[in-house]
Amino acid sequence: MYKRQAEQRTLAELEQTYGHRQDVLPALVQECRDLYLLVDPSRNQPDQPPASRLTHDTLAPHVRKRFDESVAPGQQARRILESRAVEWRNDQSGPVLDGPDLAAVEAGRSGMRAWEEEKGEIRLFQASQLARRKRLRQRWVTFGTLASLALAVVLALSWDTLQDWRLQQEVIKASLQVDVGAFKLDRYEVSIALYAKCFRSDSQRCPKPESNEDFSRYSDGDKQLGDLPVTDVTAIQARAFCQWLGRRLPTYEEWIIAVRRWESEVIQVDDTLAISDQYNMGQSRSSLWPVNRVTADTQDGALRPLHLIGNAWEWTSDWYSTRHEPAGDCCGTATANPLGGTREASIDPNEPAAIPRKVLKGGSFLCAENYCSRYRPSSRIPESIESATCHISFRCIARP
């Protein structure tokens, strides 16, 4: 770059300064001479080597202005390098080039003069490249750490989801359902073993029945207790379990339809039982039966629900009301499926706690005709949704 007309460069100096552009240097100098921008002062001095300088002093400020304003990569790179390398002269050190400036210098290197070591330009460039590599390495470390953490979280969530799905499928496979026309009803009351799988999957969804000693013993390894119906569960817990399987608690109406279809041979005109000794109910009964225990009246191989009457009371989804609509026919083809009363109306006005109540159906092993007739298909009792006792269980239904 020519700052003043008095400065001139020999061809050897130009070749040293722009040695990396020997392929275009001679032709470029000759083109500038043809345009009368450069002259060769050695023409009048035979003893001097060939050289070049500006044709006239007035060209110097124009050339400088064009250089300062140029957006050409080589000239941008030279301006950046010369302005920043000042602090790197005489083996000193200063700030390195940031990312954009370093990229501009690299892009324009081939279009500017050779870099000069004594001006600190090479050390500045090398230090800037080293700093960039460190930044990139740190970014990759940070990215790798974050990616590892994200992957760990995803794998943990995926593992939890997979475990939940696996346990869910095990329960669905084990909880056999029977077709009752418009819906399907679990053949068995939910057992301790199946509820324990929900507890393992999510203890908040299916909390441990704290008062159920059989459940605790089963969890501690006594697997023989796994076939007993799970009791000491609230209506809220029963509802959550059924929802986990994509099912729900039966309504009062649905429960009646199932009983009248499958237990019609033992229900007398007055709604009493003709063969009460086939059910876990009465003064001679002292404990729960396994959910899959088949009594004499169901040993014909028919696929039917077990223990709809007796063994354990069963939660329904209906809010309790003082009166209810009549049930549908035996095949589940009722046009209406009343959902009972409302949450507010189910509250007993005489109870200060004001806890809503759901309908229980079926009776339990504690029922007996001489002091408890609520086991009858048409009968029902209210129970607080927070109640959890040793003789209340549940089963689920599924509708298409």
Side-chain angles (χ1 to χ4, degrees), residues 176-189:
L176 186 65
Q177 290 197 309
V178 295
D179 196 339
V180 192
F183 59 91
K184 292 184 178 181
L185 179 72
D186 285 359
R187 188 182 188 200
Y188 312 123
E189 294 160 321

Side-chain angles (χ1 to χ4, degrees), residues 162-400:
L162 181 61
Q163 286 291 90
D164 180 73
W165 179 85
R166 182 181 63 79
L167 291 169
Q168 182 187 69
Q169 295 305 306
E170 289 178 1
V171 174
I172 290 175
K173 184 177 180 180
S175 56
L176 186 65
Q177 290 197 309
V178 295
D179 196 339
V180 192
F183 59 91
K184 292 184 178 181
L185 179 72
D186 285 359
R187 188 182 188 200
Y188 312 123
E189 294 160 321
V190 174
S191 67
I192 288 177
L194 296 189
Y195 188 87
K197 291 181 183 294
C198 185
F199 171 71
R200 285 172 52 197
S201 173
D202 187 343
S203 60
Q204 292 185 339
R205 180 198 295 119
C206 296
K208 179 181 178 181
E210 295 296 342
S211 301
N212 191 322
E213 295 182 3
D214 289 337
F215 187 92
S216 298
R217 290 165 57 192
Y218 173 82
S219 301
D220 292 337
D222 190 350
K223 301 307 180 184
Q224 293 182 351
L225 300 173
D227 288 335
L228 291 176
V230 64
T231 57
D232 298 280
V233 291
T234 67
I236 299 170
Q237 294 166 357
R239 176 175 177 267
F241 177 90
C242 292
Q243 287 181 333
W244 180 53
L245 302 180
R247 301 172 183 174
R248 61 173 174 81
L249 291 172
T251 65
Y252 168 85
E253 171 82 0
E254 290 163 336
W255 199 94
I256 288 292
I257 291 172
V259 169
R260 288 185 172 169
R261 175 172 182 178
W262 295 107
E263 308 290 357
S264 59
E265 71 273 17
V266 296
I267 299 174
Q268 301 184 111
V269 176
D270 61 355
D271 255 354
T272 59
L273 297 177
I275 319 176
S276 60
D277 61 343
Q278 301 299 329
Y279 298 89
N280 186 15
M281 180 177 60
Q283 290 179 322
S284 63
R285 315 302 187 193
S286 61
S287 63
L288 293 164
W289 286 352
V291 298
N292 55 0
R293 175 172 173 174
V294 179
T295 54
D297 64 310
T298 57
Q299 288 179 346
D300 54 2
L303 188 60
R304 56 186 298 162
L306 301 182
H307 310 306
L308 284 173
I309 297 176
N311 207 33
W313 287 100
E314 298 183 12
W315 286 112
T316 70
S317 62
D318 280 21
W319 296 110
Y320 181 78
S321 61
T322 55
R323 61 183 302 273
H324 60 275
E325 299 293 335
D329 59 34
C330 68
C331 301
T333 57
T335 56
N337 184 25
L339 299 180
T342 63
R343 178 186 178 93
E344 292 72 19
S346 73
I347 299 174
D348 186 348
N350 298 317
E351 289 292 334
I355 300 175
R357 298 176 297 172
K358 290 281 190 178
V359 174
L360 290 180
K361 294 294 296 179
S364 76
F365 69 95
L366 296 176
C367 290
E369 289 188 24
N370 61 337
Y371 67 92
C372 175
S373 60
R374 292 289 179 87
Y375 61 83
R376 294 176 297 112
S378 62
S379 183
R380 63 210 171 93
I381 65 170
E383 191 66 46
S384 161
I385 61 173
E386 296 180 3
S387 179
T389 67
C390 66
H391 61 295
I392 298 179
S393 186
F394 66 98
R395 72 181 76 211
C396 308
I397 76 160
R399 275 187 177 267

